[in-house]
Amino acid sequence: MALLDPKDRLSLHGGEAVAIEPATGEALGAFTLADADDVADATGAAARAQLTWARTPYTERAAVLRRAGDLIHRHAPEIREWIVREAGSIPGKADFEIRTAAEECYEAAALAHRPLGQVLPSSAPRLSYTSRTPVGVVGVIAPFNVPLVLATRSVAPALALGNAVVLKPDPRTAVCGGHVLAAVFAEAGLPEGLLHVLPGGAEAGRALVADPRVRVISFTGSTGAGREVGALAARHLKRAHLELGGNSAFVVMEDADLDAAMSTAAWASFFHQGQVCMTAGRHLVHASLYDEYVERLAAKADALAVGDPYREEVHLGPVIDAGQLEKIHALVHKSAAAGARIAAGGTHRDLFYRPTVLAEPDSGEPTPAYAEEVFGPVAPVRKFHTVDEAAALADDTGYGLALGVVTRDTARALEFADRVPTGLLHINDQTVNDEPVAAFGGLADSGNGARFGGEANLDAFTEARWTTVRSTPAPYPF
């Protein structure tokens, strides 16, 4: 399987780019970037190919998706190496991506078999029913952090439902977030012209959103970029499914078992260097447990190994690039200047940032690392005294992605969660969870309420059509 086919470097016109290993700075390979003209060429070819694909029997479309899932497993060693080296992932996280991406393909294959409409009652003598039709061409813009999964979760269902796809992966993970899928689907027998992989920057992204042949945009990324995508899509009267950032709360009630909770707490903030939208950005802990919680979480952070995930056995790898590192470090030290105590971490070597625990001040304005999405391995911890205070703190954010609650009383947790609007809820678990069968997405600054996964993909990648049929023309008064 050629993940960087030489012909790919001849087909695009946005200039040459290099796949960089963040752990070492080593160049892993070269590829070309797309510009606006490349986007136009791709959407035109995709629109032409989609007409035939939409008429292809669903059994054939499903078979392609099943083969794609099998091929992801078959080529797992090669794909794993790219995810580890290009995205800075530890091998376990790479294995999770491979399993989940394959399951996304299998789930999409099953989606092709789902009922596509329903028969409706009608007051007139006619057959009345709804049906789902492919939207046509779907534009997918995917991020760097979980590149294979966050591309596949839109590409696979869109293809299964009869659409063509133009995928723009983040250039920092162009191979494991883009070229992998191009190679897999080519080997799986997807007809030519149905999947175009165009790594590129803002110019290519704007061109993809604005292109009249693209009727649906699936975007995963930051809230700031999502606002721009949503505004541009609205200007062109097209749907945009926006899965954006988060600053999720992890709430620890006074009856929590800390022995059981500490692993959950650490994973919530430190998994993949905190570069996950669902990361717990705010630990809210009952005052009776607060000091012990901070001490134990700091000890956990200090015990984690940080280093090159390809050459060493580590818990955390590098953050993606110097810009992200600077943002993380600035937020941590602005928070310390505002009164937070750095209980662990707060330092880095090259792009390797130590997992960091911040004990938030008891009162006053929240520090920057608590109030903003850090997208790094940082766990701000704040105390609360009552459930009402905890609910108010958890809800005091513009985001609405995930909520974790740790307690021995699950009924109480469900009642508590009703007071904190979020798209995802996990009781006695941490906030970073995802499965292909589940509808996934957030509210407010975390997205526009759109969902990916399971049957939600039917709404994301098809149009509903109402049809009526009469045996003879209908009579009217004139």
Side-chain angles (χ1 to χ4, degrees):
M1 182 172 66
L3 295 184
L4 277 177
D5 193 316
K7 70 175 183 292
D8 292 338
R9 294 196 287 272
L10 303 176
S11 59
L12 301 177
H13 308 94
E16 187 170 282
V18 178
I20 297 293
E21 182 178 30
T24 63
E26 178 184 339
L28 301 175
F31 57 94
T32 50
L33 297 172
D35 62 13
D37 290 338
D38 295 315
V39 171
D41 291 343
T43 59
R48 292 188 294 273
Q50 188 270 334
L51 296 176
T52 300
W53 181 242
R55 295 192 295 269
T56 300
Y58 73 88
T59 50
E60 294 183 27
R61 299 200 307 268
V64 170
L65 271 296
R66 286 193 296 271
R67 288 195 295 270
D70 291 343
L71 287 165
I72 289 172
H73 283 303
R74 186 181 307 167
H75 295 293
E78 183 181 3
I79 297 171
R80 179 187 299 112
E81 182 172 331
W82 275 102
I83 295 173
V84 169
R85 301 189 69 183
E86 190 183 28
S89 305
I90 61 172
K93 185 259 192 182
D95 291 338
F96 161 79
E97 283 209 57
I98 289 165
R99 289 193 306 271
T100 303
E103 288 299 324
E104 292 283 2
C105 290
Y106 299 142
E107 180 67 20
L111 195 67
H113 298 247
R114 300 284 177 89
L116 293 177
Q118 58 184 168
V119 176
L120 304 174
S122 178
S123 60
R126 61 189 179 187
L127 172 64
S128 175
Y129 64 94
T130 61
S131 60
R132 293 183 179 273
T133 60
V135 298
V137 179
V138 174
V140 178
I141 302 175
F144 72 84
N145 56 328
V146 193
L148 182 60
V149 169
L150 298 183
T152 307
R153 73 172 181 186
S154 293
V155 170
L159 290 172
L161 291 167
N163 302 287
V165 175
V166 179
L167 166 64
K168 191 196 86 63
D170 189 303
R172 291 171 289 186
T173 48
V175 179
C176 59
H179 288 285
V180 162
L181 288 177
V184 161
F185 277 101
E187 190 174 343
L190 183 72
E192 188 175 350
L194 289 170
L195 174 61
H196 300 259
V197 175
L198 305 181
E203 177 196 3
R206 284 191 292 268
L208 184 60
V209 176
D211 192 292
R213 286 162 293 209
V214 176
R215 297 312 311 155
V216 165
I217 290 292
S218 170
F219 173 85
T220 304
S222 71
T223 297
R227 290 185 192 279
E228 295 183 20
V229 168
L232 184 57
R235 195 178 311 151
H236 292 273
L237 299 178
K238 62 181 67 177
R239 299 208 312 267
H241 301 288
L242 307 176
E243 202 276 282
L244 309 179
N247 193 10
S248 298
F250 181 73
V251 181
V252 181
M253 298 295 189
E254 71 272 17
D255 64 347
D257 179 352
L258 290 190
D259 289 333
M262 296 319 299
S263 172
T264 308
W267 191 267
S269 287
F270 304 144
F271 171 67
H272 191 46
Q273 300 79 262
Q275 297 173 127
V276 182
C277 59
M278 298 168 281
T279 292
R282 298 172 299 144
H283 292 239
L284 304 177
V285 181
H286 191 271
S288 63
L289 303 176
Y290 181 82
D291 291 337
E292 182 183 359
Y293 186 92
V294 170
E295 181 181 353
R296 294 178 67 166
L297 186 58
K300 194 86 167 174
D302 286 338
L304 296 177
V306 182
D308 182 343
Y310 183 61
R311 298 166 182 85
E312 307 170 52
E313 187 173 337
V314 297
H315 301 99
L316 280 73
V319 298
I320 192 66
D321 60 20
Q324 187 61 26
L325 178 97
E326 290 167 7
K327 177 193 171 189
I328 295 165
H329 200 54
L331 285 171
V332 168
H333 286 275
K334 286 178 182 177
S335 297
R341 176 172 64 89
I342 300 178
T347 62
H348 67 92
R349 174 182 58 84
D350 299 324
L351 296 182
F352 303 102
Y353 205 89
R354 289 294 313 173
T356 298
V357 178
L358 297 176
E360 284 285 308
D362 289 347
S363 60
E365 291 297 315
T367 69
Y370 176 93
E372 301 176 31
E373 182 184 34
V374 178
F375 224 65
V378 179
V381 189
R382 185 165 183 171
K383 70 177 63 171
F384 66 88
H385 296 83
T386 68
V387 172
D388 288 343
E389 184 185 5
L393 288 171
D395 191 34
D396 186 20
T397 177
Y399 296 101
L401 185 52
L403 173 66
V405 183
V406 179
T407 178
R408 300 174 196 265
D409 187 342
T410 55
R412 182 190 188 199
L414 288 167
E415 181 181 351
F416 174 84
D418 287 341
R419 303 167 64 180
V420 185
T422 59
L424 312 169
L425 168 65
H426 304 291
I427 296 172
N428 288 322
D429 202 350
Q430 47 82 38
T431 51
V432 183
N433 276 282
D434 190 11
E435 292 185 6
V437 297
F440 182 99
L443 312 172
D445 288 353
S446 293
N448 56 356
R451 295 290 182 269
F452 300 107
E455 292 190 359
N457 286 323
L458 287 169
D459 291 326
F461 302 117
T462 65
E463 301 283 7
R465 171 185 290 168
W466 179 39
T467 300
T468 67
V469 180
R470 302 177 68 119
S471 58
T472 59
Y476 290 94
F478 61 87

